[in-house]
Amino acid sequence: MVIPETFFAERTSLLKASEIRELLKWVAEGGIISFGGGMPSPATFPRQQIIEAITEGISEHGDKLLQYGTTQGLNELRSELKNFMEWRGINVSNVDDIVVLSGSQQGLDMFGKVFIDEGDVVLMELPAYLAAINAFKLYDPEFVGLKMDDDGIIMDSLESVLKELKSKHKKVKFLYTVPTCQNPTGVTLSVERRKRLLELASEYDFLIIEDDPYSLILYEPIDVAPLKSMDGEGRVTYLSTFSKILSPGLRLGWVLADARLIKKFVLAKQGMDLCTSPLLQYIAYVALKRKVIQENLSKIRGLYKTKRDKMLEALETYFPEGCKWTTPIGGLFIFAWVPERVNTKELIQDCIKKYGIAYVPGQSFFVDESGTNTMRLNFSYPAMDEIEEGIKRLGQAIKERL
Ligand SMILES: Cc1ncc(COP(=O)(O)O)c(C=O)c1O
């Protein structure tokens, strides 16, 4: 039988298919140059070390690693994570403030579960990470978008938003941000703005969720520290992942939060999966302990920097006048604006069918549904020659619409 709509919970109507996931299906079928998705290059996966860690884990600690684990995660891994974060300038007073996640995406769903009641105000970057929008949307918040420029969220604009919300007696629950090499734009919040953001969070009493998958994948030296390391009041919850520095297939991330929030997280996670795979956690533990990750970073940075430069050069050569794009100092994405009369959701159809290329139309990253003439371009996954060829074809497809 086909299950009638009336059987489903009403909130499922808030779910919609992610365009990125849909596009990944095309990539899987092959024959398309894809700037969609946000996949690392498989050349960066330390396969041999992963094989060794798994073999060692099963033969030496099989009883423990093939068993259920604690919801918080392996103690060995959490203490390595403490060192890792401290190396990044983040003070961790207690390993129990860390929970290992089955991908940082699980953390995003957990934020929705533990923070958002229907109608709560949640502040999001314009544009924001799509899978965070979708994870939060299920809990039906009121999203308010924050304007950005090349230095991240514009603080004067944030302050006006906060004043306006206050005048309407609306309380902000949290602000979600990817402050370093943002997904989807690649931009980085400046140091001055980081300081101001923390001041405003204190003044207007809201929490900050700092999602930080990319701050170790930098192509230029920068002097910005994680928001969490500057947080004197405990307003920032820090989320990160092994996906871009080790392998996304392991589905491993972590969250650092205050003890009270951690208690709620643990309860929420129990309902989701009881625990993250202990065996896979062991791989991450070994990779941190033996500095596999730390040493692999220079390879990742070198490879992606070359790809980023190739894409920037190709954009300069092949994109028509009236287009602009970001120049990210790290991360995996370039964000582009095409002339306003070109709708990138319509353009993508031609691109896939006629030109054999894919990107992510930008509109769905904007909680106010603006950005109809924008696109996100990933440069970590495609090969060098695909970057040149794909941007060339994309330039032609845009010109055809003008
Ligand atoms: C900003 C951001 N947050 C979270 C994630 C999800 O990462 P994970 O693979 O750890 O679930 C991604 C993945 O691309 C991301 O870009």
Side-chain angles (χ1 to χ4, degrees):
M1 99 178 193
V2 178
I3 300 178
E5 198 55 37
T6 49
F7 278 83
F8 294 109
E10 263 177 43
R11 68 176 164 280
T12 58
S13 64
L14 299 168
L15 294 170
K16 75 179 187 22
S18 149
E19 276 154 26
I20 305 186
R21 298 277 128 208
E22 295 300 307
L23 284 171
L24 284 175
K25 287 186 199 156
W26 286 90
V27 181
E29 279 169 27
I32 300 257
I33 297 178
S34 178
F35 303 133
M39 296 196 287
S41 164
T44 65
F45 302 151
R47 286 158 212 255
Q48 194 49 39
Q49 285 97 331
I50 291 177
I51 293 172
E52 285 162 20
I54 265 206
T55 314
E56 172 192 302
I58 294 177
S59 55
E60 291 176 27
H61 312 283
D63 286 359
K64 177 171 151 187
L65 301 180
L66 296 172
Q67 190 56 274
Y68 289 111
T70 62
T71 307
Q72 283 220 307
L74 281 187
N75 289 342
E76 305 89 301
L77 174 57
R78 291 187 299 132
S79 69
E80 281 307 318
L81 280 171
K82 179 176 187 296
N83 298 339
F84 192 57
M85 282 187 278
E86 281 174 351
W87 173 59
R88 309 262 7 261
I90 300 173
N91 179 40
V92 183
S93 46
N94 191 331
V95 287
D96 286 336
D97 295 344
I98 303 170
V99 178
V100 179
L101 302 168
S102 302
S104 60
Q105 188 63 35
Q106 182 174 56
L108 295 174
D109 187 43
M110 275 156 56
F111 291 128
K113 271 205 169 82
V114 308
F115 283 133
I116 305 176
D117 285 320
E118 189 184 325
D120 278 350
V121 176
V122 169
L123 303 180
M124 303 291 281
E125 290 156 326
L126 275 178
Y129 174 50
L130 179 56
I133 299 177
N134 288 341
F136 302 156
K137 201 184 263 173
L138 189 60
Y139 303 95
D140 213 4
E142 177 184 338
F143 285 127
V144 177
L146 303 173
K147 290 204 183 99
M148 298 171 76
D149 63 16
D150 287 346
D151 284 329
I153 299 169
I154 302 168
M155 289 301 135
D156 288 348
S157 155
L158 168 61
E159 198 169 356
S160 322
V161 165
L162 291 167
K163 276 191 185 139
E164 199 190 323
L165 288 166
K166 195 171 174 189
S167 73
K168 293 182 183 157
H169 305 287
K170 287 190 177 179
K171 172 120 188 63
V172 175
K173 268 278 168 80
F174 65 81
L175 180 154
Y176 167 80
T177 176
V178 183
T180 310
C181 312
Q182 198 233 18
N183 183 354
T185 59
V187 308
T188 294
L189 190 67
S190 68
V191 181
E192 290 69 32
R193 290 191 187 181
R194 284 175 196 239
K195 288 185 192 147
R196 185 70 189 130
L197 174 56
L198 291 167
E199 282 168 11
L200 288 171
S202 179
E203 194 180 327
Y204 288 86
D205 188 27
F206 60 87
L207 303 176
I208 297 173
I209 295 173
E210 175 177 30
D211 190 357
D212 187 32
Y214 304 113
S215 68
L216 287 171
I217 305 178
L218 295 177
Y219 316 126
E220 269 126 61
I222 47 156
D223 196 18
V224 290
L227 281 168
K228 183 70 191 159
S229 69
M230 303 162 71
D231 170 30
E233 293 186 355
R235 289 188 178 274
V236 181
T237 297
Y238 180 83
L239 182 69
S240 193
T241 177
F242 287 99
S243 288
K244 310 294 153 75
I245 54 175
L246 182 60
S247 145
L250 298 175
R251 308 303 306 127
L252 290 171
W254 72 95
V255 63
L256 170 69
D258 118 291
R260 206 151 164 223
L261 177 52
I262 289 290
K263 263 195 187 159
K264 303 242 185 224
F265 267 3
V266 168
L267 293 174
K269 185 170 160 64
Q270 273 164 8
M272 292 174 173
D273 63 0
L274 300 178
C275 68
T276 295
S277 159
L279 182 59
L280 301 185
Q281 289 185 67
Y282 187 78
I283 297 173
Y285 157 69
V286 168
L288 282 177
K289 175 105 187 141
R290 302 197 185 140
K291 308 271 184 274
V292 174
I293 290 181
Q294 294 85 329
E295 279 156 22
N296 203 23
L297 282 174
S298 59
K299 178 178 171 183
I300 297 176
R301 289 182 190 133
L303 178 65
Y304 294 174
K305 181 181 189 304
T306 317
K307 290 187 172 197
R308 176 204 64 168
D309 292 346
K310 183 83 196 166
M311 187 171 272
L312 287 172
E313 192 189 302
L315 285 164
E316 205 60 69
T317 313
Y318 299 113
F319 263 34
E321 213 155 289
C323 297
K324 60 172 190 169
W325 50 88
T326 55
T327 303
I329 51 150
L332 272 49
F333 308 104
I334 291 174
F335 201 70
W337 287 258
V338 299
E340 269 186 28
R341 60 183 181 280
V342 180
N343 182 314
T344 51
K345 261 192 183 171
E346 288 165 18
L347 181 72
I348 189 77
Q349 310 298 334
D350 287 358
C351 282
I352 289 175
K353 289 180 196 140
K354 233 169 105 182
Y355 290 92
I357 39 163
Y359 58 83
V360 186
Q363 192 182 1
S364 34
F365 296 98
F366 289 80
V367 291
D368 63 358
E369 300 197 341
S370 58
T372 52
N373 61 325
T374 62
M375 58 176 73
R376 191 190 73 177
L377 302 168
N378 165 262
F379 53 81
S380 56
Y381 186 74
M384 289 290 278
D385 56 340
E386 288 182 328
I387 293 178
E388 162 109 35
E389 178 59 26
I391 294 294
K392 185 175 173 186
R393 291 189 210 167
L394 189 48
Q396 277 163 5
I398 298 166
K399 281 179 199 153
E400 204 183 82
R401 290 256 166 176
L402 291 177

